[in-house]
Amino acid sequence: METIRSTFPIFQTNPVFLTPRPLKPFKVSIKPPPPDFNFRSEISDHSKDTIAKTHPELLDLAENGTLFFIEKSRFGPVPAWRTEFVEPEAIWLVGTTHISQDSALEVERVVRAVKPDNVVVELCRSRAGIMYANASMDGEAGQQLRSNMFSLTGTGFFGAVGRSINLGGQTALALRVLLAVFSSKISSDTNRPFGDEFRAARKVSEEVGAQIVLGDRPIEITLERAWNSLNWTEKLSLVASVVRGITSPSDMSQKNLKESSASDDGTFQLYEQLSSSYPSLLQPLIHERDTYLAWSLKRSKAVNKSKRVVGVIGKGHMNGVIYALLADLGDLRFRDLVGQRPSSQGTDASSNGRWVVKLVQDLVRDTVIGTLLWALYEQIKGGL
């Protein structure tokens, strides 16, 4: 792994953690891009030529590395068990920076020009509220300006906490709250709203009649898998690092952010820095999500028989997503990318009794932890 800029210096590389702890394996392997894979050298020339012929008004975006075109003939094979599925004729990928107004304008340009059937965004159901935040309002709506990839959204308190616990358990909820506060602090310090490109994607999709598709894996599942990949020493170190980042003065100036946002995805930088300090996190935070995003772009039910699909994803995911699109061997299913939480059911009265007791204990524990974490989240957020 190449050296990563110290954008988030609270996460320091620790030699003790440099041996990844294996995750519970999926039924099939999710392979990251090989070290020598570079998506630009793989598709850039053909992409530019096609864009120049079909949409010359977008050629500047192709030239500066924001827009890429991938036609169906470059995809991996459709698996035999999905012979009735027809993949999109073409995918247009827009690489964005989540705190850049320029990215929002670029998304609008591409969607208006291409007029796709679907627009796939790097969000899941839990974070879909980011698309509806009104950046021009004050008060509660103004707080949405600090929305980030870890934000808790839902129907009030129980909607947000309940969904997080249901999908990822209390540990995923704890990690999510801490990372949400940390990311919100960064956005506040830099005075920039998060997710303008997603709001632009929703708005312009409605104008051209395109369907919005939530293309990212549920964040609760991602964080649960990330948490379970760490040993207890790493877990304690990670929590301590995030808390230090929340309570200490910001180490990222507006100038540094402006320089980095020109070519990078800040959220991806955070994931990458975490993975540098804790190598076990690389697979669940980046590689698995890249593959999931690729599947949403070309193999989700929403894009079946579509002609044109536009993907709105962070620039940092481009290499992994494009590799997954091109190198797919057709042996993965969506359920392989989600993973399954262990479950067991007793076959006798004694086992059923233990199951009920455990269910009640888990409910009480999750409720207490969720309440405390929500209170911590609101208290710290109010002081940002």
Side-chain angles (χ1 to χ4, degrees), residues 22 43 72 79 89 138-139 178 196 240 267 336 374:
I43 68 169
K72 183 178 179 179
E89 294 296 324
D138 298 323
L178 289 173
D196 277 344
T267 303
D336 296 322
W374 187 272

Short mmCIF file of all heavy atoms in Angstrom, two decimals, residues 22 43 72 79 89 138-139 178 196 240 267 336 374:
data_model
loop_
_atom_site.label_atom_id
_atom_site.label_comp_id
_atom_site.label_asym_id
_atom_site.label_seq_id
_atom_site.Cartn_x
_atom_site.Cartn_y
_atom_site.Cartn_z
N PRO A 22 -8.29 -11.62 9.67
CA PRO A 22 -9.22 -12.03 8.62
C PRO A 22 -10.66 -11.90 9.04
O PRO A 22 -11.04 -12.24 10.16
CB PRO A 22 -8.83 -13.50 8.35
CG PRO A 22 -8.14 -13.95 9.61
CD PRO A 22 -7.45 -12.73 10.15
N ILE A 43 -9.39 2.52 -19.44
CA ILE A 43 -10.58 2.96 -20.18
C ILE A 43 -10.54 4.40 -20.64
O ILE A 43 -11.41 4.84 -21.40
CB ILE A 43 -11.85 2.77 -19.32
CG1 ILE A 43 -11.83 3.74 -18.13
CG2 ILE A 43 -12.00 1.34 -18.87
CD1 ILE A 43 -13.14 3.80 -17.39
N LYS A 72 -21.26 -1.63 -22.38
CA LYS A 72 -21.64 -2.97 -21.93
C LYS A 72 -20.64 -4.04 -22.34
O LYS A 72 -20.40 -5.00 -21.60
CB LYS A 72 -23.02 -3.31 -22.48
CG LYS A 72 -23.59 -4.64 -22.04
CD LYS A 72 -24.98 -4.83 -22.61
CE LYS A 72 -25.58 -6.16 -22.20
NZ LYS A 72 -26.95 -6.32 -22.77
N PRO A 79 -23.96 -13.89 -15.15
CA PRO A 79 -23.95 -15.29 -14.70
C PRO A 79 -25.12 -16.08 -15.28
O PRO A 79 -26.17 -15.53 -15.59
CB PRO A 79 -24.05 -15.17 -13.17
CG PRO A 79 -24.65 -13.82 -12.92
CD PRO A 79 -24.15 -12.95 -14.03
N GLU A 89 -26.86 -0.66 -21.29
CA GLU A 89 -26.04 -0.52 -22.49
C GLU A 89 -24.76 0.26 -22.19
O GLU A 89 -23.72 0.00 -22.79
CB GLU A 89 -26.83 0.20 -23.59
CG GLU A 89 -28.03 -0.59 -24.11
CD GLU A 89 -27.60 -1.88 -24.80
OE1 GLU A 89 -26.55 -1.87 -25.46
OE2 GLU A 89 -28.32 -2.89 -24.67
N ASP A 138 -32.18 27.89 7.90
CA ASP A 138 -31.51 27.92 9.19
C ASP A 138 -32.16 26.93 10.14
O ASP A 138 -33.04 26.17 9.77
CB ASP A 138 -31.58 29.33 9.79
CG ASP A 138 -30.87 30.35 8.91
OD1 ASP A 138 -29.82 29.98 8.33
OD2 ASP A 138 -31.35 31.49 8.81
N GLY A 139 -31.76 26.97 11.38
CA GLY A 139 -32.37 26.14 12.40
C GLY A 139 -32.08 24.68 12.15
O GLY A 139 -30.99 24.27 11.79
N LEU A 178 -19.96 7.97 16.58
CA LEU A 178 -18.67 8.62 16.78
C LEU A 178 -18.12 9.17 15.46
O LEU A 178 -17.64 10.31 15.40
CB LEU A 178 -17.68 7.63 17.38
CG LEU A 178 -17.94 7.23 18.85
CD1 LEU A 178 -16.99 6.12 19.27
CD2 LEU A 178 -17.79 8.44 19.76
N ASP A 196 -23.66 18.03 -1.67
CA ASP A 196 -24.34 18.85 -2.68
C ASP A 196 -24.59 18.08 -3.96
O ASP A 196 -25.60 18.27 -4.64
CB ASP A 196 -23.52 20.11 -3.00
CG ASP A 196 -23.75 21.23 -1.99
OD1 ASP A 196 -24.75 21.16 -1.25
OD2 ASP A 196 -22.94 22.17 -1.95
N ALA A 240 -10.63 5.56 20.92
CA ALA A 240 -9.85 6.63 21.55
C ALA A 240 -9.40 7.66 20.52
O ALA A 240 -9.43 8.87 20.77
CB ALA A 240 -8.64 6.04 22.27
N THR A 267 -14.31 11.76 2.33
CA THR A 267 -14.76 10.60 3.08
C THR A 267 -13.89 9.39 2.78
O THR A 267 -13.55 8.61 3.67
CB THR A 267 -16.23 10.28 2.73
OG1 THR A 267 -17.02 11.43 3.00
CG2 THR A 267 -16.74 9.12 3.55
N ASP A 336 -24.00 -12.09 -1.24
CA ASP A 336 -22.60 -12.33 -0.90
C ASP A 336 -21.91 -11.05 -0.44
O ASP A 336 -20.96 -11.09 0.34
CB ASP A 336 -21.85 -12.88 -2.12
CG ASP A 336 -22.39 -14.23 -2.56
OD1 ASP A 336 -22.74 -15.03 -1.68
OD2 ASP A 336 -22.47 -14.46 -3.78
N TRP A 374 -26.99 8.53 21.54
CA TRP A 374 -27.74 9.63 20.94
C TRP A 374 -27.55 10.91 21.76
O TRP A 374 -27.36 12.00 21.20
CB TRP A 374 -29.22 9.27 20.85
CG TRP A 374 -30.01 10.29 20.10
CD1 TRP A 374 -30.60 11.42 20.57
CD2 TRP A 374 -30.28 10.28 18.69
NE1 TRP A 374 -31.23 12.10 19.56
CE2 TRP A 374 -31.05 11.42 18.40
CE3 TRP A 374 -29.96 9.41 17.65
CZ2 TRP A 374 -31.51 11.71 17.10
CZ3 TRP A 374 -30.42 9.69 16.38
CH2 TRP A 374 -31.17 10.83 16.12
#
